[in-house]
Amino acid sequence: MFAGAAHLLPGQELRTFDVYRDGDHKTASGRILSNSWERLGEIKAVLAAAKPEEIQRWRQLEHPVSHKIIQQGVPPFKIIPGDSLVCGDRRYIVQTAPYNPGGINHWTIYYCDERSDV
């Protein structure tokens, strides 16, 4: 165990999230497909409800959030706003650029909105 390890309560265990990017993609023949999902990979992270202050702050900036997904370290690929993090049958749309507290790459926080209509 290393210094600074998080102590998680029951229900706060690490979950596996599949990361998808929506958009136009080309087939091998050059044909453009729209509304296709490209799987970027997976991350392991903790799912938490956003605090009321965070919900209000992001709503004022026109980025509705309902949850935050907290990953230890940084992802091995770039995650951008609009990407989807899927865990089981729940989908979370990343609303803001990933937040790296302190800029030291120990944690990455994704502010997301849970969506059931996509």
Side-chain angles (χ1 to χ4, degrees):
M1 195 152 147
F2 61 93
H7 298 284
L8 303 175
L9 298 173
Q12 294 180 328
E13 66 277 349
L14 289 174
R15 301 171 190 218
T16 301
F17 292 87
D18 291 312
V19 182
Y20 293 93
R21 182 159 298 150
D22 186 19
D24 295 335
H25 305 285
K26 290 184 180 179
T27 63
S29 63
R31 182 177 174 195
I32 295 179
L33 302 173
S34 61
N35 294 331
S36 59
W37 292 92
E38 175 186 1
R39 185 177 184 277
L40 301 177
E42 68 181 31
I43 62 170
K44 293 200 181 290
V46 175
L47 175 66
K51 297 180 198 171
E53 309 86 56
E54 294 168 329
I55 293 170
Q56 184 63 29
R57 177 180 48 161
W58 290 112
R59 183 180 298 137
Q60 289 175 349
L61 296 172
E62 298 182 6
H63 294 287
V65 299
S66 60
H67 292 80
K68 53 187 171 184
I69 296 173
I70 306 161
Q71 174 188 9
Q72 188 171 11
V74 293
F77 45 85
K78 187 171 176 88
I79 296 176
I80 60 173
D83 287 351
S84 294
L85 304 177
V86 179
C87 181
D89 60 350
R90 298 175 74 180
R91 180 180 302 270
Y92 303 90
I93 308 296
V94 177
Q95 295 293 317
T96 65
Y99 176 55
N100 180 356
I104 54 177
N105 298 333
H106 284 198
W107 301 96
T108 304
I109 302 173
Y110 307 97
Y111 288 97
C112 303
D113 189 28
E114 183 175 14
R115 300 289 299 271
S116 60
D117 61 337
V118 291

